[in-house]
Amino acid sequence: MSAPFQLQHAKPLRIPCVLMRGGTSRGPFFLAADLPAEPAARAGVLLAVMGSPHMLQLDGLGGGNSLTSKVAIVSRSARADADVDYLFAQVAVDRALVDLGPNCGNMLAAVGPFAIEAGLVPAREGETPVRVYNSNTGALVEALVSTPGGIVEYDGTTAIDGVAGTAAAVKLNFLRAVGSKTGALLPSGKVRETIDGVPVTLVDYATPMLLLRAVDFGLAGDETPAELDADDYLLARLETIRREAGRRMGLGDVAGHVLPKIGLLSPARDSGSLTSRYLTPDRCHRSHAVTGALCIAAASRLAGSVAQDVLSPHAGSLVTIEHPSGTIQVDLALDEAGEVVRASLIRTARRIFEGNVIVPANAMFALAERAETGGNRSHDHDAPSILYLNGEPRGRHLPV
């Protein structure tokens, strides 16, 4: 570890931190320079910050839920095509594990405002574009942040489903999202194939996903997350299919990994384009992940995909995905061949508090000394995909 993270300095750390809501997620935002550069040491710090492993995360900032156990690490970018680099970390609630494999598009909504207020990007009058490079997946995203008078504005009239009230809009333009982890939109080379007798589409746009039709599992598709979470047989069968899907996508053995995610699709109930239940993968999301929405929207434009099977015949370039908390809209820009060249959506963000998070030295050091890196996967060039303790397989639960 590099100073000031020397083991001999056995004192609590006071690390500058901003707690922010991005879309329908929440978590602490850090400048990369304020955290250890060494992955295992950084994992120890993040586990201690969030209070993991513990179902309630009582001893940290986490909220006892995957949507509130997320971390964003931001730095000025050395890339010519980006202003800042954004490394996302999913901190497990009940396991001493930090996953750097996926991206989080909801947390991404707060990266632009954070970067401006941290002095990484100069604010412009009216609106400030922030070019964000996601180190997890290699995606390049332009965030358009409202900055009247050169000041980040959080108050506004934009509402998103899953979040109470309204706030200023943050528009996210995904400029490079094809093959986020596999290098190809269709990693297996097929728009449609069969696994365990079920038609599937394996697609990688912003995040790798296994797409299936709810009807093929005897489901209506509008079940609540609680109903799906309680169906052990369903979850076990989906996991069997997901593991084979991961192998076909070139991700290797995905047992215990969060990728690929699962989308259970069905026709729209209201005025949307289609309905989705997004699994992460062993629990159903209470609303919907941004990256998952982008992936499903892109797949819906592929002739013969299972997403197109359930797509409303009236759907255009604006794809409205119905989810348990409402809807999320993805605006697709298509080229003359009908292929997706850009995807955009609107999110909101809020700066909740700022200050220092205090990390007990004994907790951090105990976790850091036992942390290991593992889980090599295709296109994980920028960050190790997973950090875990004691060499435990990623699917096992460590005692709380």
Side-chain angles (χ1 to χ4, degrees):
M1 295 186 229
S2 58
F5 302 99
Q6 300 290 343
L7 289 178
Q8 60 264 32
H9 299 307
K11 297 180 181 179
L13 290 178
R14 303 176 68 88
I15 305 175
C17 162
V18 178
L19 186 67
M20 301 192 74
R21 176 186 62 78
T24 55
S25 296
R26 189 194 73 204
F29 280 62
F30 296 97
L31 291 173
D34 293 327
L35 294 173
E38 197 275 316
R42 183 176 60 205
V45 169
L46 297 183
L47 288 165
V49 164
M50 302 307 288
S52 294
H54 190 281
M55 289 301 297
L56 299 179
Q57 294 179 312
L58 283 175
D59 208 30
L61 297 179
N65 186 287
S66 62
L67 299 182
T68 55
S69 189
K70 302 184 176 188
V71 175
I73 303 170
V74 183
S75 60
R76 184 175 280 110
S77 182
R79 301 174 59 92
D81 58 356
D83 299 309
V84 296
D85 294 338
Y86 155 54
L87 178 65
F88 168 69
Q90 180 73 61
V91 180
V93 174
D94 59 348
R95 288 172 285 173
L97 179 150
V98 178
D99 191 351
L100 303 178
N103 182 13
C104 177
N106 276 301
M107 290 284 279
L108 177 60
V111 171
F114 174 81
I116 294 170
E117 294 187 313
L120 302 180
V121 178
R124 299 182 186 179
E125 173 58 43
E127 185 177 71
T128 302
V130 180
R131 299 172 303 165
V132 181
Y133 175 75
N134 176 238
S135 301
N136 308 78
T137 64
L140 184 64
V141 183
E142 178 189 57
L144 299 178
V145 182
S146 179
T147 51
I151 304 296
V152 174
E153 181 178 55
Y154 292 101
D155 291 333
T157 59
T158 299
I160 62 172
D161 290 329
V163 179
T166 62
V170 177
K171 185 175 183 179
L172 301 176
N173 296 317
F174 284 75
L175 308 176
R176 189 173 67 222
V178 173
S180 65
K181 303 299 285 186
T182 66
L185 179 65
L186 296 171
S188 68
K190 302 175 182 177
V191 175
R192 189 188 195 96
E193 54 200 288
T194 301
I195 300 178
D196 195 24
V198 178
V200 305
T201 293
L202 310 180
V203 63
D204 185 359
Y205 187 89
T207 190
M209 286 193 71
L210 159 66
L211 303 183
L212 314 104
R213 299 179 306 192
V215 68
D216 292 323
F217 296 87
L219 301 171
D222 59 355
E223 287 80 4
T224 67
E227 288 173 328
L228 295 177
D229 290 349
D231 192 336
D232 292 336
Y233 175 78
L234 171 68
L235 295 178
R237 189 169 182 213
L238 289 175
E239 178 61 15
T240 297
I241 297 174
R242 193 184 74 89
R243 292 186 187 187
E244 174 60 18
R247 186 190 67 78
R248 296 188 188 186
M249 297 175 83
L251 297 173
D253 181 4
V254 299
H257 292 266
V258 298
L259 299 177
K261 300 294 180 64
I262 300 171
L264 276 175
L265 308 181
S266 61
R269 269 62 182 178
D270 296 318
S271 57
S273 305
L274 53 82
T275 298
S276 172
R277 292 297 183 262
Y278 182 83
L279 285 91
T280 64
D282 58 350
R283 293 186 66 190
C284 182
H285 202 297
R286 268 49 188 168
S287 52
H288 210 286
V290 164
T291 51
L294 292 166
C295 190
I296 292 169
S300 73
R301 312 308 303 178
L302 298 174
S305 71
V306 298
Q308 195 163 86
D309 286 352
V310 300
L311 187 69
S312 166
H314 307 295
S317 61
L318 184 64
V319 180
T320 301
I321 298 173
E322 299 178 2
H323 57 73
S325 297
T327 63
I328 183 170
Q329 290 186 322
V330 179
D331 189 10
L332 299 174
L334 309 175
D335 62 16
E336 294 181 355
E339 296 183 356
V340 178
V341 294
R342 188 185 71 251
S344 305
L345 45 71
I346 300 295
R347 298 278 86 186
T348 63
R350 181 189 169 207
R351 193 177 180 98
I352 299 174
F353 77 70
E354 57 190 39
N356 296 308
V357 58
I358 300 171
V359 181
N362 60 344
M364 178 192 68
F365 293 153
L367 292 167
E369 287 174 347
R370 291 151 49 204
E372 299 179 9
T373 60
N376 294 325
R377 286 195 294 230
S378 301
H379 295 268
D380 280 350
H381 302 312
D382 298 284
S385 61
I386 240 171
L387 295 168
Y388 62 101
L389 297 181
N390 294 337
E392 291 288 343
R394 299 178 194 89
R396 290 180 56 188
H397 288 236
L398 296 178
V400 176

